[in-house]
Structures are given as structure tokens and as C-alpha cells.
Amino acid sequence: LTMAALAAALATAVSAYNNGMGERPPMGWQTWCSVGECGEDHCFDGQIRAMADTLVLSGMKDLGYDWVVLDDCWHPTRDNATAELVPYPRFFPDGMKPVIDYVHSLGLKFGLYTSVGDRTCHGGWSPGSFGHYERDARTFAAWGVDYVKIDYCGSHDSVEGHR
């Protein structure tokens, strides 16, 4: 076989799902360790909006830096009646959806953090998604979350607990 024939054969044998994802790695800004000492950082509504503005106004968005990812600093609790995640009200007084809608209005994508265990890694005081996977997925979808970062902290963080 000639190199040209080999290249042609490989080109026709390889295909990819072309949905626009994976064309480049996700690039943008993530809150982990960027808003204080790791494990002690706190993030809040105005800060997320300001960073989204900065990505756009600085021209970074035009270079492909189009993600804002809120890591383990939004300190959710669970609503006693519905068991849905609720962001820490002092940091997100209007909830998550208005912040996410604002990020989207700038043409950016939004990611959010949870853990597979019953607690997150950030000091262990925020609830993880263990026992609430479907509920949390529905909540994240209702808020308009584009990406979920999942950590492996808290109790029930074994493979056996997730079957």
C-alpha cells in the first residue's frame, strides 16, 4: 500500500460524532482556589457575574474561553420539604437560575459542582448527590446548567453505593 492509499483507507474508516463538543478542551474560569484559599473559598452571585463580564470584555470569550464553572463554594443545603438543592442564600439570594441565565445571556456556558457521596469535599458541610442523583440532575437541568463537575467525596463514595 502506498501512503496515500493508507491515508484514504483510514480517513473513511474513522468517524466521529459531530455535535460540536470536544473540538477543544473546555476553557474559561473556574472558582476552585481562585476566590480564596483552597477549601476555604466562597463564591457569590456578584462575583460570578463580574467574572463572566470580564471574560467577555477582555476578549477572552472570543478566544474560546467561554465557560464559567462554579465549583464547591456555592454551599448548597437541601430543602426540607422537597430535598432539592438550594444555594446558600447569603451568597445567592435570588437562587442559581438568575446567575446562570446572566452567564448564558453573555454567550457563555455554565458548569456546576456536586459530589457522588453524601457530602462535598469543601469541608464536608454541603450535601452531595448521593441518594438524589435524578433529583439533582432535574434541578441542574431546570436551572440551565450546561456541565456538571462531579467529585468523589463524602460517605457512600464507593462503586457499590452507585449501582
Side-chain angles (χ1 to χ4, degrees):
L1 280 176
T2 66
M3 288 303 281
L6 180 59
L10 288 175
T12 59
V14 176
S15 64
Y17 188 61
N18 186 12
N19 64 357
M21 297 301 294
E23 294 174 356
R24 66 176 182 276
M27 301 185 300
W29 180 73
Q30 178 176 290
T31 60
W32 185 250
C33 300
S34 67
V35 295
E37 186 176 332
C38 286
E40 296 180 17
D41 46 344
H42 303 287
C43 41
F44 54 92
D45 181 301
Q47 172 191 65
I48 303 306
R49 292 173 189 256
M51 185 51 69
D53 289 338
T54 299
L55 285 172
V56 173
L57 296 173
S58 69
M60 296 299 289
K61 176 185 172 262
D62 295 334
L63 298 173
Y65 293 83
D66 56 0
W67 281 96
V68 173
V69 180
L70 186 57
D71 210 304
D72 193 5
C73 59
W74 62 289
H75 304 300
T77 58
R78 289 212 179 265
D79 181 276
N80 290 332
T82 66
E84 286 188 7
L85 287 171
V86 178
Y88 189 57
R90 195 172 96 215
F91 297 157
F92 296 92
D94 299 316
M96 295 307 300
K97 186 150 179 46
V99 178
I100 296 169
D101 288 347
Y102 182 78
V103 169
H104 285 154
S105 77
L106 299 176
L108 301 169
K109 298 173 219 151
F110 188 87
L112 193 62
Y113 168 94
T114 189
S115 175
V116 299
D118 63 350
R119 295 276 169 213
T120 67
C121 299
H122 195 271
W125 59 77
S126 298
S129 290
F130 181 80
H132 302 278
Y133 299 122
E134 289 183 30
R135 176 180 287 111
D136 290 356
R138 284 191 304 269
T139 298
F140 296 154
W143 290 346
V145 172
D146 301 299
Y147 165 82
V148 178
K149 176 187 173 188
I150 301 176
D151 223 329
Y152 209 68
C153 293
S155 298
H156 308 291
D157 62 355
S158 67
V159 174
E160 292 77 30
H162 305 292
R163 292 180 189 216

